[in-house]
Amino acid sequence: MRNAIVLIVVIVVVFFMLVAGRRFRNQATPKTTLTTNNIKNAMTPDFTLKTIDGKEMKLSDLRGKAVLLNFWATWCGPCKIEIPWFMELEKQYASQGLVVVGVAMDDDAKDVVPKFAQEMKIDYPVLFGTEQVADQYGGVEGLPMTFYIGRDGKIVKRIAGLTSHHDIEESIQDALNTPAGQGQTPHALLIPQVAQ
Amino acid sequence: MIKRLSAFAILAAAMAFAQSSSHAPKVEAAPINPVTVKRGASAPVQFQFRVAPGYHINSNKPKSELLIPTVVSLDVPTNISVAKVTYPVGEDLTFPFSPDEKLSVYTGDFTVNAFVHASSTTSNGTYRVHGNLRYQACDNRACYPPTNVPISFDVTVAKPTKTSSTTKKNPAQSPHIHN
C-alpha cells in the first residue's frame, strides 16, 4: 500500500515537472530586442563597444556594408574553427562590401582576448562584448552565434553554433545581395587590427 | 526497487524540466549524503554529478589554458575544512569541431571525492556547507558560458569516541543487503 502511494506521488510529480517544463519553455524567452521569432528582417540592435586595440566601434557606422557579426569566446572550441574561415572570406568579399566583426564574450576578456586574437592572427575588428549587448541580441546563450546583416542594417540570417564553410559563404552572399537602404553611408570604419 | 525507480524518474523529469528552459543547466548535482565526523578527524564526502546527454564539460585538467576547468568550490564554516578534493581523470575525446585535437572532458556521470575535517575545537552540532560546481559545457556544435551548479550538504560533528586500550574491536560497519 505504501509503495503504491509513493509510486502515485512520483507519477504526479513527474507529470507536473514535464508540464511545467513545457510551459516554462514557452515563457522563457527574455524580453530583449531580438527574439527567435523576430530575427529575419529585424533592424539590427545598435551598440558601441570597445575594440581590443582601445578604439570604439559603433555598429550603425557600418551601414551600407554587409556585416558578419560573430559572437565568440576563447573557451569555445567550435568558434576556433570558424575564425580562419571568416578571415579568408572577408579577404574574398571585402571588395564587394563585406565587413567581419567579432564580439568576444569572455568574462576576463581584457587579459585573454587580445592574446588569443594575436595568436589566431585575427585581422578583423574584435570587440569586447557585454551582457547588455548579448541581451539585445536575444541572450547569445550558445557560441558561436553569427548574425548576417544586410547593407540596410537588417538581419538576413542568424546561425547558432558551428556551421559549414559553405553555409557561411552562402549567408555572406545573401547579406551582400541586400539593397543599401536609407541608412547612413559607411564612415569612420575602423582600420582592421592586424596581429603582429 | 520502487525507491530506486522513483529517484531515477524524478532525476529524469528534473533534467527534462531543466532542459526545457532557454538557460538550461547542462549538469545536475545529486543530493549529497550527510557527513558525520568526529572532532579532530576526517570523513569522506562524495559529490555526484550528471552531464546531460549530448553535452560534455571540460575535466578538472583540460588540455589548454584557454579552456575552463571543472572545479568544486565550498564555503565551509569555521573549524571545518575540506581537503584532498579528487577529481576523476577526464576522457580524452575528439569532437567534430576539433577532429585533430583530443579534449579532456567529462560526460555522463562523474564523482568528485573529498574529505571533511573537523578541528578538535569544533563544537558538536550540525553545520551546513554550501558550494558550487563551476563548469563550462559544449555540445558538438556550440559552447555555453561558464555556469555554477549549487551544492550543499550537512556535516555533523560528534565527540570523539574513547577507545579501550585493552580490547581491540573490529571497526563498525553499516549493514549491507546483497541481492
Side-chain angles (χ1 to χ4, degrees):
Chain A
M1 181 62 185
R2 192 167 166 272
N3 284 349
I5 292 170
V6 169
L7 196 57
I8 288 166
V9 168
V10 166
I11 288 168
V12 169
V13 168
V14 167
F15 178 76
F16 170 77
M17 291 179 86
L18 290 173
V19 170
R22 183 176 283 268
R23 289 195 62 172
F24 187 70
R25 178 175 52 201
N26 294 335
Q27 294 170 2
T29 308
K31 286 179 184 174
T32 53
T33 310
L34 292 179
T35 68
T36 49
N37 298 324
N38 71 350
I39 295 288
K40 194 166 169 71
N41 289 327
M43 205 62 195
T44 314
D46 198 13
F47 60 74
T48 301
L49 289 174
K50 285 212 163 117
T51 68
I52 56 173
D53 51 357
K55 296 174 183 166
E56 284 199 335
M57 185 180 207
K58 188 176 184 187
L59 187 65
S60 57
D61 284 346
L62 301 176
R63 200 65 53 77
K65 296 271 184 182
V67 180
L68 186 160
L69 181 67
N70 171 240
F71 289 86
W72 64 282
T74 58
W75 40 258
C76 166
C79 303
K80 286 195 270 187
I81 301 295
E82 292 188 334
I83 287 170
W85 295 345
F86 295 152
M87 289 192 282
E88 173 210 323
L89 289 165
E90 191 190 38
K91 282 187 183 69
Q92 191 178 334
Y93 288 98
S95 61
Q96 295 179 43
L98 174 69
V99 175
V100 176
V101 178
V103 181
M105 296 305 296
D106 294 69
D107 284 341
D108 51 354
K110 284 179 177 52
D111 296 329
V112 295
V113 173
K115 189 178 166 205
F116 180 90
Q118 196 170 28
E119 282 172 6
M120 290 285 289
K121 296 183 167 55
I122 300 177
D123 55 6
Y124 51 79
V126 174
L127 316 179
F128 292 120
T130 62
E131 285 298 315
Q132 192 185 0
V133 168
D135 286 346
Q136 284 181 285
Y137 282 78
V140 193
E141 193 201 352
L143 298 174
M145 186 168 290
T146 306
F147 292 82
Y148 295 86
I149 302 166
R151 297 176 192 272
D152 53 2
K154 290 180 179 171
I155 291 172
V156 174
K157 195 185 279 184
R158 181 192 74 160
I159 297 182
L162 175 65
T163 192
S164 67
H165 185 284
H166 173 78
D167 283 352
I168 293 170
E169 186 165 10
E170 202 172 68
S171 304
I172 287 171
Q173 288 167 350
D174 289 346
L176 286 167
N177 288 334
T178 51
Q182 304 215 340
Q184 297 164 275
T185 46
H187 66 279
L189 291 180
L190 292 165
I191 299 163
Q193 182 222 351
V194 181
Q196 298 300 312
Chain B
M1 186 64 182
I2 293 264
K3 276 184 184 172
R4 191 172 294 179
L5 274 174
S6 304
F8 275 112
I10 288 172
L11 186 61
M15 291 193 83
F17 174 79
Q19 286 182 46
S20 64
S21 88
S22 63
H23 296 278
K26 315 303 187 269
V27 178
E28 296 284 325
I32 301 164
N33 288 331
V35 177
T36 300
V37 60
K38 290 173 182 143
R39 278 184 289 177
S42 296
V45 59
Q46 280 195 333
F47 310 113
Q48 294 175 315
F49 303 99
R50 176 167 291 178
V51 182
Y55 294 98
H56 63 269
I57 65 174
N58 296 317
S59 74
N60 178 250
K61 297 208 185 315
K63 291 177 184 287
S64 160
E65 62 176 16
L66 290 170
L67 299 177
I68 295 168
T70 294
V71 176
V72 171
S73 305
L74 297 165
D75 184 14
V76 289
T78 312
N79 295 333
I80 292 177
S81 58
V82 175
K84 294 182 188 168
V85 181
T86 311
Y87 296 87
V89 175
E91 288 177 88
D92 285 350
L93 297 178
T94 56
F95 293 91
F97 58 78
S98 182
D100 302 326
E101 182 188 15
K102 283 192 172 177
L103 302 179
S104 175
V105 300
Y106 300 141
T107 58
D109 294 352
F110 71 97
T111 302
V112 177
N113 292 290
F115 282 87
V116 176
H117 178 80
S119 75
S120 53
T121 57
T122 313
S123 304
N124 291 351
T126 299
Y127 300 82
R128 173 58 61 99
V129 177
H130 294 279
N132 62 59
L133 175 84
R134 183 166 173 78
Y135 70 92
Q136 189 268 305
C138 297
D139 57 29
N140 283 344
R141 291 186 58 220
C143 290
Y144 303 87
T147 309
N148 292 326
V149 181
I151 54 175
S152 63
F153 62 99
D154 286 336
V155 177
T156 300
V157 177
K159 268 189 206 172
T161 47
K162 288 178 184 170
T163 50
S164 163
S165 56
T166 53
T167 54
K168 277 189 178 176
K169 285 183 181 176
N170 286 330
Q173 291 182 343
S174 54
H176 292 284
I177 297 168
H178 298 281
N179 293 324

